[in-house]
Amino acid sequence: MGDFFIYGQKEIEHLKNADSALGVLIDEIGPIKRKVIPDLFTALVNSIVGQQISSKAMDTVWGRFVKRFSTITPEVLHSAPIEKIQQCGISMRKANYIKEASKTIVNGELAIDKLNTLSDEEVVKKLSSLHGVGVWTAEMILIFSLQRPNIMSWGDLGIHRGLKILYDHRKIDKTLFQKYKNRYSPYASVASLYLWEISKGEYSVKKDVSSK
């Protein structure tokens, strides 16, 4: 796998055929390059570090983390003093989450190398059993590490905002959300990339009632 989420013409054509309103903006926005972290444990640690901080702060803290731990493995972080992890610029709570996750993997309670063989639902269940990892975090790992093609997170505010802007909805309930996910399936992850972009509010959306 490369450094960006991989998708191509097949996925784009499917989404454009499935939804004309989304299709118009896909053409306007063009290809989206979103970085991925192919190593699952590194992606997990990155997700915990980045929780509830700005992307700018995240870049700074993650830069320190990578510099301090040139090799990010469960074994390295399990054996590191918790203070060394915390001193990268994260809270003691997050440092504890990272230590606990490392211990769980080192002890064989979570076979992280086998997660890529499991279904999306099973991966979410396994990852969200770790302290500090919720369903949303697990779903982001599914997209930005495992590159699963059909993920659209109900818990993501940006996705909700993108759907509201695109289809002129005041509120998105679970039934409506599922309707759109079914429409985008089996490439909802690619639709998510575009919904995040749309959620920034930088594009003019032509209201098309037939696409609702």
Side-chain angles (χ1 to χ4, degrees):
M1 289 183 186
D3 291 333
F4 298 99
F5 186 89
I6 297 167
Y7 70 95
Q9 206 54 37
K10 176 179 70 174
E11 292 84 352
I12 290 300
E13 288 304 321
H14 173 85
L15 293 174
K16 287 169 70 171
N17 289 333
D19 193 290
S20 58
L22 181 61
V24 169
L25 285 178
I26 285 174
D27 284 340
E28 186 180 338
I29 293 165
I32 292 176
K33 286 192 166 186
R34 284 293 295 265
K35 285 188 174 180
V36 295
I37 301 175
D39 179 74
L40 200 49
F41 182 71
T42 304
L44 173 62
V45 175
N46 179 274
S47 296
I48 294 171
V49 169
Q51 286 171 2
Q52 296 173 321
I53 61 174
S54 69
S55 54
K56 189 178 178 184
M58 172 59 181
D59 289 342
T60 303
V61 175
W62 188 245
R64 286 193 207 121
F65 209 97
V66 171
K67 194 173 180 182
R68 182 161 291 195
F69 301 102
S70 53
T71 309
I72 298 174
T73 65
E75 293 74 20
V76 165
L77 295 182
H78 177 51
S79 61
I82 195 164
E83 293 77 17
K84 188 177 179 183
I85 296 173
Q86 193 261 330
Q87 284 161 6
C88 293
I90 62 174
S91 65
M92 190 55 80
R93 182 172 52 86
K94 285 185 183 178
N96 266 312
Y97 291 155
I98 290 167
K99 286 287 283 183
E100 278 187 47
S102 304
K103 181 182 177 184
T104 303
I105 294 162
V106 168
N107 289 350
E109 295 165 49
L110 174 63
I112 199 162
D113 295 338
K114 299 276 172 52
L115 291 187
N116 63 338
T117 66
L118 303 179
S119 70
D120 296 343
E121 293 75 18
E122 288 171 316
V123 173
V124 168
K125 189 177 176 184
K126 296 272 189 188
L127 286 176
S128 59
S129 70
L130 297 169
H131 286 129
V133 180
V135 170
W136 177 83
T137 298
E139 288 171 333
M140 293 307 103
I141 290 171
L142 278 172
I143 299 176
F144 297 116
S145 183
L146 292 177
Q147 298 207 42
R148 293 292 173 90
N150 200 33
I151 305 298
M152 187 167 134
S153 177
W154 163 253
D156 192 282
L157 296 178
I159 297 286
H160 280 253
R161 197 178 307 117
L163 288 171
K164 286 175 185 174
I165 291 170
L166 183 58
Y167 302 113
D168 202 22
H169 291 302
R170 292 185 66 186
K171 185 174 181 287
I172 306 286
D173 60 22
K174 281 203 167 183
T175 304
L176 196 53
F177 188 92
Q178 193 59 46
K179 183 185 94 167
Y180 290 122
K181 184 177 178 184
N182 291 344
R183 183 184 293 180
Y184 305 146
S185 182
Y187 303 122
S189 296
V190 180
S192 294
L193 296 183
Y194 282 94
L195 289 168
W196 279 315
E197 194 64 27
I198 292 164
S199 75
K200 296 175 183 177
E202 297 169 1
Y203 301 93
S204 56
V205 177
K206 296 176 180 64
K207 307 304 178 192
D208 181 354
V209 177
S210 66
S211 283
K212 282 192 177 184

